[in-house]
Amino acid sequence: MDTSKVQVFKTAGRLLTGENASYLLAEQMQHFNITRPLIVTDKGVLNAGIIDPVLEHLRSNEIERISIFSDITAEPETKTVEDCRTVFDRDDCNGVIAIGGGSAIDTAKAVSILNKPSAALSSNSQKVSLGDLFGENLVPKRTTPLICLPTTAGTGSEVTNISILLDINDELKKGIVSNELLPDVAIVAPELTLSCPPSVTAASGVDALVHAVESYLSKFASDITRPLSLQAIRMITESLTTAYQEPNNIEAREQMATASLIAGLAFGNAGVGAVHALAYPLGGKYHLSHGVSNAVMFSHVMRWNSESCPDKFVDIAIAMGAPTDGSINNSSGSAFVINKIKQLCEEVAIPQHLREFDIKHEDLKDLSESAIKATRLLRNNPRELSVEDIKAIYEEAY
Ligand SMILES: [Zn+2]
């Protein structure tokens, strides 16, 4: 039987969204028998006091033995995952709770799959080392429960089956792709994003928009993912600037948090494309954050893509607020989208050129050679790219 056209829609086991959703964490932990959690977070979240109400909520639910790991770098590294797992084993934890941005969540996801050999586990479980898990579907069954609460809006990592880590040995970002990384529960609570600083709101918000747009354009977009992509585009275009300018605006924060989740559902299944492929080398070599490196490449890659699927750019333009009176057509849709992207990036103060980040012009060749290796992403892109094409886009973005 030919099953090649069957599509599997993957997401976290449960999704909780909306204001005060974080106060249902204890209930969810109870369901998964987590009594000794390891909370994976970062210093920024810890110092801003974002997790204090969560800790109070856990203690009032008689969860007293709480371990916290907050030594997370801006871009998650393999060494960080190993250090975090050491704390998990040392404190005999029985569940991983990520409360943070994409770095904390990606770290937590990787920590949760490093199973500890124990009598309580099935006999075929074995100690696995991180290096063996890079690639697709190499992860043995996860036995540690995993709950993710994003504090940014966001990477969508709370609903995807990928963990991207920086290997400091070769300065390369590598991905673990496995359905074992899908969290048991994703709790997307806008109250956790209120203290997110404007620069992070901007970068992670544009990243979420990139997820929505790239998943819509992806060769693997489906009837399930396409409406999700458009809905996320609509919500982010409407609320990003407000969330950036008015950090305490809970409605805008809720729109952004939910939209980031919806974009995550779309790209977690349809994939992302050339924006991400060209952004990753910037993170690896220049340590630009994931969101900023995507934002800087966004409009330039869209200009390249627009020629291959102008009809899809009309849909995106309308989701971004273009008039529906027929004035937007195959020849004007992409210009509207590109201008809107530039306008949004300007409103949230993200530069649009590589030179503004002190990237050396002579490095563009190396960056292109690195980007072309991201075949996992490039194969989703609506228009094919050679290494020369990539170099030309970096030149334009310079
Ligand atoms: Zn991204």
Side-chain angles (χ1 to χ4, degrees):
M1 196 63 69
D2 178 14
T3 55
S4 61
K5 291 200 173 120
V6 174
Q7 290 176 343
V8 180
F9 189 84
K10 313 172 286 284
T11 181
R14 296 171 177 196
L15 308 177
L16 281 68
T17 60
E19 201 176 342
N20 297 329
S22 63
Y23 293 94
L24 294 176
L25 175 59
E27 196 181 293
Q28 294 301 318
M29 285 169 58
Q30 206 170 19
H31 182 83
F32 290 94
N33 297 319
I34 305 174
T35 49
R36 300 184 303 279
L38 172 68
I39 292 181
V40 181
T41 185
D42 62 64
K43 292 256 161 29
V45 169
L46 201 62
N47 295 339
I50 297 167
I51 69 165
D52 295 349
V54 180
L55 293 176
E56 206 174 298
H57 152 75
L58 293 182
R59 289 191 183 109
S60 71
N61 280 275
E62 284 158 20
I63 298 163
E64 298 289 347
R65 258 187 70 178
I66 302 169
S67 301
I68 297 176
F69 181 90
S70 65
D71 212 359
I72 303 276
T73 41
E75 296 294 300
E77 295 171 6
T78 43
K79 166 108 177 40
T80 313
V81 172
E82 281 152 8
D83 293 348
C84 186
R85 181 68 205 195
T86 303
V87 174
F88 183 94
D89 291 336
R90 184 198 67 198
D91 292 357
D92 192 27
C93 298
N94 61 3
V96 177
I97 315 285
I99 306 177
S103 302
I105 295 178
D106 276 15
T107 302
K109 283 159 81 175
V111 167
S112 75
I113 53 173
L114 294 177
N115 295 333
K116 180 174 64 162
S118 143
L121 299 178
S122 65
S123 56
N124 61 0
S125 68
Q126 55 188 29
K127 182 98 179 163
V128 286
S129 87
L130 198 54
D132 300 333
L133 304 178
F134 286 107
E136 293 184 48
N137 303 321
L138 299 172
V139 179
K141 186 161 176 52
R142 173 168 62 81
T143 53
T144 303
L146 171 66
I147 301 179
C148 294
L149 299 90
T151 59
T152 62
T155 63
S157 183
E158 68 277 8
V159 285
T160 67
N161 65 349
I162 310 169
S163 172
I164 304 282
L165 304 170
L166 178 69
D167 194 333
I168 40 172
N169 297 320
D170 50 16
E171 281 195 338
L172 278 180
K173 286 192 156 192
K174 298 175 181 172
I176 303 173
V177 183
S178 163
N179 289 344
E180 298 302 324
L181 290 172
L182 290 165
D184 295 300
V185 188
I187 301 180
V188 179
E191 64 272 16
L192 297 180
T193 68
L194 289 173
S195 308
C196 183
S199 64
V200 179
T201 300
S204 53
V206 175
D207 183 36
L209 184 60
V210 177
H211 296 156
V213 170
E214 291 214 285
S215 60
Y216 191 70
L217 298 175
S218 169
K219 282 185 187 159
F220 298 94
S222 73
D223 289 339
I224 300 179
T225 64
R226 274 186 289 262
L228 294 169
S229 301
L230 290 178
Q231 176 64 8
I233 292 169
R234 225 172 269 132
M235 292 168 78
I236 296 166
T237 311
E238 274 171 23
S239 52
L240 173 59
T241 306
T242 310
Y244 174 77
Q245 291 173 344
E246 303 168 27
N248 288 319
N249 185 321
I250 190 76
E251 286 86 21
R253 291 294 198 181
E254 180 161 5
Q255 285 272 307
M256 282 305 298
T258 306
S260 151
L261 167 79
I262 296 171
L265 295 174
F267 96 84
N269 291 281
V272 285
V275 179
H276 276 74
L278 272 67
Y280 277 126
L282 304 174
K285 189 167 170 61
Y286 286 99
H287 304 287
L288 253 63
S289 79
H290 177 81
V292 168
S293 44
N294 273 303
V296 67
M297 296 313 302
F298 196 6
S299 65
H300 307 286
V301 175
M302 285 305 122
R303 190 183 303 284
W304 167 267
N305 279 345
S306 62
E307 288 173 35
S308 66
C309 47
D311 52 326
K312 292 204 176 113
F313 277 80
V314 173
D315 301 338
I316 295 171
I318 288 169
M320 287 179 149
T324 51
D325 57 4
S327 59
I328 293 291
N329 53 37
N330 279 3
S331 54
S332 58
S334 59
F336 184 96
V337 171
I338 290 162
N339 285 336
K340 192 77 192 176
I341 290 168
K342 286 183 177 168
Q343 182 201 327
L344 277 172
C345 288
E346 210 164 286
E347 283 170 4
V348 300
I350 303 182
Q352 292 289 286
H353 293 98
L354 294 172
R355 60 174 183 270
E356 294 170 84
F357 295 98
D358 292 332
I359 287 165
K360 296 193 197 88
H361 189 265
E362 65 254 37
D363 284 350
L364 298 189
K365 189 166 174 286
D366 282 356
L367 290 169
S368 311
E369 278 158 14
S370 180
I372 194 80
K373 290 184 194 141
T375 47
R376 178 179 69 80
L377 303 167
L378 292 172
R379 72 180 177 212
N380 304 331
N381 201 62
R383 189 172 171 192
E384 259 179 58
L385 290 102
S386 67
V387 71
E388 291 79 23
D389 298 330
I390 292 175
K391 172 96 185 316
I393 298 172
Y394 278 135
E395 287 283 358
E396 195 197 302
Y398 194 74

